[in-house]
Amino acid sequence: MASRSEQEDKTAKAKEWRREMQEKLKQYSKAPQLAELQIKLLDQMVHKLKQDRHEVGVQITEDQSELQWVEKEVNEIKSKYDPLVRRMTERKQQRDELVQQLQQFEQSFQGVIESVRDRIKVTNKYDSTFQRKAASESLTQSRGFSTEKGTTASHRVASKNRTLS
C-alpha cells in the first residue's frame, strides 16, 4: 500500500509527463509528416491514463479493506472498553459513598471523643472531691475533731466578723 506522499509523488510525475507530452505534440503538430507520431503519443498518453486509473482503483480497494480492518478493530476495542468504563463509573460512585460514610464515622467518633473527654473531666473532678473528703474524714477520725467551717472557735469568730462587716 502506498503512502499519501508516494501517491502525491506519482500524481506530480504524471502531471509532469502529460505536460511534456503536450509540449511535444505542439512542436510536432507543425509538421504534417509527424501526424503518425502524434497519434502514437496520444495512444501512449491514453495507455498511461488507463494504467493510472487501474492503479488508483487498486489503491482504493486496498484502502477500503484497510478501513474495514480498522473499523473491526475499533469495534472490538469498544466492546472491551465500554464495560470497563461502566465498572469504573460504578467504582467511583462506591468510592464517593465510602468517603461520605467515613466522614460521617469520623464526625461520630469525634463526638464520642469529646464525650469521653467531658466524662474524664467530670470523673477527675468527682474523684478529687471524693479524695479530699476521704482525706478530711481520715484526718478527722485520727485527730478526734473536725476542722470544717464553723466547727472550731477560730472559724466561728471569723464568720461572725464577716457577717458584721
Side-chain angles (χ1 to χ4, degrees), residues 2-51:
S3 68
R4 190 172 296 269
S5 62
E6 290 174 1
Q7 290 175 350
E8 289 173 357
D9 289 343
K10 282 184 179 180
T11 305
K13 287 179 183 177
K15 286 181 181 179
E16 180 66 27
W17 180 79
R18 285 185 200 116
R19 192 177 56 76
E20 288 175 9
M21 293 300 284
Q22 287 173 350
E23 286 178 13
K24 286 181 183 179
L25 284 173
K26 285 180 183 178
Q27 290 173 358
Y28 294 130
S29 66
K30 295 176 185 175
Q33 66 267 34
L34 298 176
E36 286 182 29
L37 181 60
Q38 289 175 346
I39 291 172
K40 184 177 177 183
L41 289 175
L42 285 174
D43 285 341
Q44 287 177 354
M45 184 187 243
V46 168
H47 177 70
K48 177 71 173 155
L49 290 173
K50 285 181 181 179
Q51 185 179 4

Side-chain angles (χ1 to χ4, degrees), residues 52-85:
D52 288 349
R53 178 187 280 173
H54 175 71
E55 289 176 4
V56 168
V58 169
Q59 186 64 42
I60 288 172
T61 304
E62 289 175 1
D63 289 348
Q64 286 176 340
S65 66
E66 184 178 349
L67 180 63
Q68 288 173 349
W69 178 81
V70 168
E71 287 175 350
K72 179 183 171 190
E73 288 292 315
V74 165
N75 289 335
E76 287 178 11
I77 290 171
K78 191 171 183 169
S79 69
K80 294 175 185 175
Y81 178 75
D82 287 345
L84 290 174
V85 169

